[in-house]
Amino acid sequence: MLRGSPERELAAWWEAEAVAATKAQAAKEQVRVDPGAAGEPERKAGEEQPKEPVPAPPCAAEEGDARILPRPPPTLPVSLTKPEPASGLCPHGKSRIKGRSCKRSSGQPDEYCSLRPVTVDSSKARTSLDALKISIRQLKWKEFPFGRRLPCDIYWHGVSFHDNDIFSGQVNKFPGMTEMVRKITLSRAVRIMQNLFPEEYNFYPRSWILPDEFQLFVAQVQMVKDGDPSWKPTFIVKPDSGCQGDGIYLIKDPSDIRLSATLQSRPAVVQEYICKPLLIDKLKFDIRLYVLLKSLEPLEIYIAKDGLSRFCTEPYQEPSPKNLHHIFMHLTNYSLNIHSGNFIHSDSTSTGSKRTFSSILYRLSSKGVDIKKVWSDIISLVIKTVIALTPELKVFYQSDIPAGRPGPTCFQILGFDILLMKNLKPILLEVNANPSMRIEHEQELSPGVFENVPSLVDEEVKVAVIRDTLRLMDPLKKRRESQSQLLGKPLASKENPPHSDLASASRGNANPDAHLPSICLKQVFPKYAKQFNYLRLVDRMANLFIRFLGIKGTMKLGPTGFRTFIRNCKLSSSSLSMAAVDILYIDITRRWNSMTMDQRDSGMCLQAFVEAFFYLAQRKFKMLPLHEQVASLIDLCEYHLSLQDEKRLVCGRSGISSGSRLQPSATPQEAAPPAPPAEGRPQPCTDGAHKVSHSRHSLS
């Protein structure tokens, strides 16, 4: 569980939200309110939201049903209407001066009198388009469904960062995210963290990569069986590029793996199968939670307080040779179970084959389950998984959007698939870069004839996630808040009385979110960074890796860059010559290049660099655990690099050319001013003992 007082605060918040949500949903199922008859009371501009708002956003009406038309702007009285001023004149007929604005009516610049709506390009939204349209309508923003010649504030992509060429604004995809959450890449990233912190990352099943690690898989399974003859495991094989349950199957023995030519062209991951899941109504289920990665540097993570629970459609039995092929019993994928004759479509959030996660929590709470601990463990799992993904995401990011060049800022909604074991421990199944945001489902009217039918459960959860993601990313929010503060006093003037339609309209525009429910996304990082920053060792290694890449836009470290890293960090010695460094580089790089499918660039990838870093740390600090060895070597590298940066700064101030002070092999990145240190990075020149003790910190 999370440590200290934040644990109690966070867990209590989630428990209150979950219970309140399910109670509200239960009430809604008994009495359906007419869409036009009820709505959330408006709050005045600047009024603080209650500390524990009712989180369950109402269905169609209060979420912005298409049947509710936007309220037209108030009509000005005849006495207040004036003819349009001529071009180049202010609204009062006086000539404009460049750089100035008219302040006669309100005492404020013109930009505060009429703030434009946020613009969203939805031309590439694909399957999330319907939920996105509802969200934009609720926010009263401006949608461009066919794109726009002028830049938009936000671009909503359906697949990846590269759906469109963008040079400004914000885009809802990170470069490299699709590659990072593929099953093999995710398994490798988590494995690195398991080597450093095995106890903290025991929420991910042990995995082997096929075909590269097939022999290792066979040997390790046989070794465990020899030590415990009663062990009868089950394994699940997942194709690396598969989705929606495609190609997944269960096996009882490594010899059952379907080794064929297709495995070479379509690698896979084999994992230990969780045989004792938590059951509800005798059915296995998983949880789809929506996580917003708002920023990579600094790292910001939000979790939606409600998600979806997808159920199997055949009563669960532990795997046996007779039922291994019963996909409706063992696989929770919605795309598979929807084709089962037992699949139940329901408009209720607490029944059917797809339900809200809050309804599951309410049911567990009624049976005495500690919901605080369940949420605390899930939040910990999400934060740790994102920490495992961010190092390589940084490498992708600097490759597509190099520092100093124009480019958009990024955010992304991720879908975390989580399984609860019988003992309520959460297990990470996979992470989806493009979770389905469809708010309808196919219903077969007659054999071969299908119709799209709205899904109230999907709409309730997914529209809230998209809408509130947009609210958090709102690029005009600061300007709108400034407008709200500035309009508070001077709007009441002789030409604009406090009770006039114009004044009330301006005050209404000052807080456009007043009609919306409370935000359904809860920040968990950096709010609770103190409990998890010690895990970000690979993130600090990625900063070193990027610093020595040398060429902007590349993702692999060349031999010169690796030698420069060794030399500048003072890692060579009598026992580690530069010739040995070259051999180390060649051996590790050759092995990793043979394992990866991407052969576009030659050189050392980040994961190969991490392996080399582990090797160097183990040589230099032999008597410490691995995570302390790595932390100590990182501290040493950062210390020597900070001394170099300070020396260059002093030379620059004294007017001496920095080029004459640099070593001949210095890279372009070293000649430039150093990037600001990552959040949570200890200062390298002081308190070394404290940093080592900090790295020993672990979760309970």
Side-chain angles (χ1 to χ4, degrees), residues 216-469:
L216 177 64
F217 170 54
V218 173
Q220 291 182 343
V221 170
Q222 188 60 47
M223 183 176 63
V224 176
K225 284 185 175 180
D226 291 343
D228 183 8
S230 63
W231 184 57
K232 297 181 180 179
T234 302
F235 303 97
I236 183 168
V237 182
K238 305 176 182 179
D240 179 49
S241 58
C243 61
Q244 300 180 341
D246 176 45
I248 298 178
Y249 61 95
L250 272 61
I251 60 173
K252 296 293 288 184
D253 189 84
S255 60
D256 299 331
I257 290 180
R258 302 166 190 171
L259 290 174
S260 63
T262 58
L263 196 58
Q264 297 293 334
S265 59
R266 194 185 188 192
V269 168
V270 58
Q271 295 178 323
E272 292 184 63
Y273 180 76
I274 306 302
C275 296
K276 297 186 180 298
L278 178 68
L279 304 180
I280 289 184
D281 300 330
K282 299 181 180 180
L283 299 172
K284 180 181 176 181
F285 70 97
D286 74 352
I287 305 159
R288 165 62 60 84
L289 279 183
Y290 297 97
V291 175
L292 170 63
L293 182 57
K294 186 174 183 285
S295 170
L296 200 57
E297 189 64 46
L299 183 60
E300 290 188 61
I301 309 170
Y302 290 76
I303 301 181
K305 61 190 176 188
D306 204 358
L308 298 173
S309 297
R310 293 90 55 91
F311 281 75
C312 288
T313 49
E314 187 176 334
Y316 180 78
Q317 298 175 4
E318 289 197 21
S320 67
K322 293 182 179 180
N323 64 32
L324 280 182
H325 304 294
H326 292 201
I327 60 173
F328 298 143
M329 175 188 295
H330 296 293
L331 303 185
T332 56
N333 302 74
Y334 168 79
S335 54
L336 294 177
N337 283 279
I338 195 173
H339 299 294
S340 168
N342 297 326
F343 191 91
I344 301 174
H345 292 287
S346 175
D347 289 340
S348 169
T349 59
S350 57
T351 60
S353 297
K354 183 187 286 188
R355 315 176 192 178
T356 59
F357 180 46
S358 57
S359 70
I360 302 299
L361 289 177
Y362 183 68
R363 183 165 176 174
L364 295 176
S365 178
S366 66
K367 294 182 178 181
V369 172
D370 186 358
I371 300 301
K372 294 180 181 180
K373 187 177 187 308
V374 173
W375 261 123
S376 178
D377 292 344
I378 289 176
I379 293 167
S380 178
L381 178 152
V382 168
I383 294 175
K384 292 173 182 177
T385 303
V386 175
I387 287 176
L389 293 174
T390 51
E392 197 148 3
L393 279 176
K394 285 186 175 182
V395 178
F396 276 102
Y397 194 90
Q398 65 83 33
S399 175
D400 281 275
I401 313 175
R405 296 184 186 177
T409 56
C410 303
F411 64 96
Q412 188 155 353
I413 298 172
L414 302 173
F416 275 66
D417 290 347
I418 298 171
L419 181 74
L420 287 179
M421 295 179 63
K422 193 173 183 179
N423 61 2
L424 298 176
K425 177 183 177 179
I427 298 295
L428 176 66
L429 300 180
E430 63 181 15
V431 180
N432 294 271
N434 301 306
S436 172
M437 287 296 177
R438 293 185 60 178
I439 55 175
E440 74 281 339
H441 59 81
E442 286 186 350
Q443 188 171 4
E444 190 171 12
L445 302 179
S446 59
V449 180
F450 294 88
E451 180 185 24
N452 286 333
V453 179
S455 169
L456 297 181
V457 176
D458 285 299
E459 182 174 338
E460 180 165 322
V461 174
K462 295 175 182 179
V463 169
V465 170
I466 292 180
R467 179 195 64 224
D468 292 346
T469 294

Side-chain angles (χ1 to χ4, degrees), residues 28 40 56-63 460 517:
K28 284 196 301 179
E40 187 174 351
C59 283
E62 294 177 72
E63 286 188 357
E460 180 165 322

Side-chain angles (χ1 to χ4, degrees), residues 92-326:
H92 311 292
K94 296 183 179 181
S95 60
R96 296 184 185 271
I97 301 176
K98 186 176 181 180
R100 299 183 183 180
S101 56
C102 178
K103 302 181 181 180
R104 178 177 170 184
S105 61
S106 65
Q108 305 301 331
D110 290 342
E111 62 178 320
Y112 294 108
C113 299
S114 175
L115 190 63
R116 66 172 179 82
V118 178
T119 55
V120 181
D121 183 335
S122 62
S123 60
K124 303 292 183 180
R126 300 198 182 187
T127 57
S128 61
L129 183 59
D130 292 339
L132 179 63
K133 283 181 176 292
I134 294 175
S135 301
I136 294 173
R137 190 184 309 126
Q138 291 178 5
L139 296 171
K140 301 177 182 177
W141 290 3
K142 179 67 175 177
E143 179 192 4
F144 289 88
F146 304 105
R148 188 190 188 197
R149 291 183 180 180
L150 297 175
C152 283
D153 295 311
I154 295 176
Y155 295 83
W156 197 273
H157 289 181
V159 178
S160 75
F161 174 83
H162 297 286
D163 283 358
N164 207 348
D165 292 329
I166 303 170
F167 303 100
S168 63
Q170 299 176 338
V171 62
N172 71 316
K173 301 292 181 185
F174 277 95
M177 183 65 80
T178 302
E179 293 81 358
M180 275 306 303
V181 299
R182 291 176 67 159
K183 296 173 181 63
I184 288 180
T185 318
L186 174 64
S187 296
R188 283 177 173 156
V190 175
R191 182 184 295 178
I192 290 174
M193 301 304 296
Q194 288 175 332
N195 290 335
L196 289 168
F197 306 101
E199 294 299 323
E200 286 84 343
Y201 280 84
N202 61 3
F203 56 80
Y204 191 69
R206 187 169 186 180
S207 307
W208 296 267
I209 296 167
L210 303 178
D212 295 336
E213 298 176 353
F214 176 72
Q215 296 301 328
L216 177 64
F217 170 54
V218 173
Q220 291 182 343
V221 170
Q222 188 60 47
M223 183 176 63
V224 176
K225 284 185 175 180
D226 291 343
D228 183 8
S230 63
W231 184 57
K232 297 181 180 179
T234 302
F235 303 97
I236 183 168
V237 182
K238 305 176 182 179
D240 179 49
S241 58
C243 61
Q244 300 180 341
D246 176 45
I248 298 178
Y249 61 95
L250 272 61
I251 60 173
K252 296 293 288 184
D253 189 84
S255 60
D256 299 331
I257 290 180
R258 302 166 190 171
L259 290 174
S260 63
T262 58
L263 196 58
Q264 297 293 334
S265 59
R266 194 185 188 192
V269 168
V270 58
Q271 295 178 323
E272 292 184 63
Y273 180 76
I274 306 302
C275 296
K276 297 186 180 298
L278 178 68
L279 304 180
I280 289 184
D281 300 330
K282 299 181 180 180
L283 299 172
K284 180 181 176 181
F285 70 97
D286 74 352
I287 305 159
R288 165 62 60 84
L289 279 183
Y290 297 97
V291 175
L292 170 63
L293 182 57
K294 186 174 183 285
S295 170
L296 200 57
E297 189 64 46
L299 183 60
E300 290 188 61
I301 309 170
Y302 290 76
I303 301 181
K305 61 190 176 188
D306 204 358
L308 298 173
S309 297
R310 293 90 55 91
F311 281 75
C312 288
T313 49
E314 187 176 334
Y316 180 78
Q317 298 175 4
E318 289 197 21
S320 67
K322 293 182 179 180
N323 64 32
L324 280 182
H325 304 294
H326 292 201

